[in-house]
Amino acid sequence: QGQLVESGGGLVQAGESLRLSCLASGDIFRVNAMGWYRQAPGKQRDFVARITSDGRANYADSVKDRFTISRDNAENSVYLQMNSLKPEDTADYYCNANIIRAVGGDPREYWGQGTQVTVSS
């Protein structure tokens, strides 16, 4: 049974940058779309960015032009470069991936355990 493991969160000041990483592990036949979501305290989990296996990306309006999602298919990894961070970006960030574990298998959604990002003003 594989998993998604995030890293790269931390505490930064407004205007600074962070880069989140997420690695998919275990038996993998194919990784389809990968993405990032975030959940602030007391709020629902919201979409941040998503990238398809062929590199097409889309973003939430709130992060467009500040965040960049990318992936390394050979490493089964996805990244989120976050620039010009704002206090309202403070949240737990979760990696998501649609993975087929074996030939002929069904695609399943997987979630990481989350990494905390705190932006001080």
Side-chain angles (χ1 to χ4, degrees), residues 1-3 25-30 99-103 105-106 110:
Q1 189 78 353
Q3 58 181 345
S25 64
D27 294 330
I28 295 175
F29 171 66
R30 182 167 65 235
I99 299 174
I100 300 174
R101 292 287 180 189
V103 176
D106 294 326
Y110 291 83

Side-chain angles (χ1 to χ4, degrees), residues 92-110:
D92 290 326
Y93 283 70
Y94 295 89
C95 176
N96 169 265
N98 183 281
I99 299 174
I100 300 174
R101 292 287 180 189
V103 176
D106 294 326
R108 285 184 56 193
E109 294 291 324
Y110 291 83

Side-chain angles (χ1 to χ4, degrees), residues 5-117:
V5 179
E6 302 110 331
S7 60
L11 170 64
V12 296
Q13 293 188 329
E16 294 184 339
S17 299
L18 277 175
R19 186 174 187 248
L20 305 183
S21 301
C22 173
L23 170 67
S25 64
D27 294 330
I28 295 175
F29 171 66
R30 182 167 65 235
V31 181
N32 295 318
M34 304 183 82
W36 292 93
Y37 290 71
R38 66 186 182 187
Q39 187 168 16
K43 297 189 176 181
Q44 67 181 17
R45 189 173 297 187
D46 291 329
F47 168 77
V48 175
R50 178 181 177 271
I51 186 167
T52 63
S53 57
D54 59 356
R56 289 173 289 134
N58 61 299
Y59 299 89
D61 288 343
S62 59
V63 306
K64 205 172 294 184
D65 299 326
R66 297 189 298 122
F67 291 10
T68 302
I69 190 170
S70 61
R71 64 188 286 170
D72 183 334
N73 290 335
E75 298 293 330
N76 295 320
S77 296
V78 65
Y79 308 96
L80 187 68
Q81 177 66 41
M82 305 185 294
N83 298 330
S84 302
L85 282 161
K86 304 175 181 180
E88 50 264 44
D89 295 317
T90 294
D92 290 326
Y93 283 70
Y94 295 89
C95 176
N96 169 265
N98 183 281
I99 299 174
I100 300 174
R101 292 287 180 189
V103 176
D106 294 326
R108 285 184 56 193
E109 294 291 324
Y110 291 83
W111 291 90
Q113 80 288 351
T115 185
Q116 189 173 53
V117 172

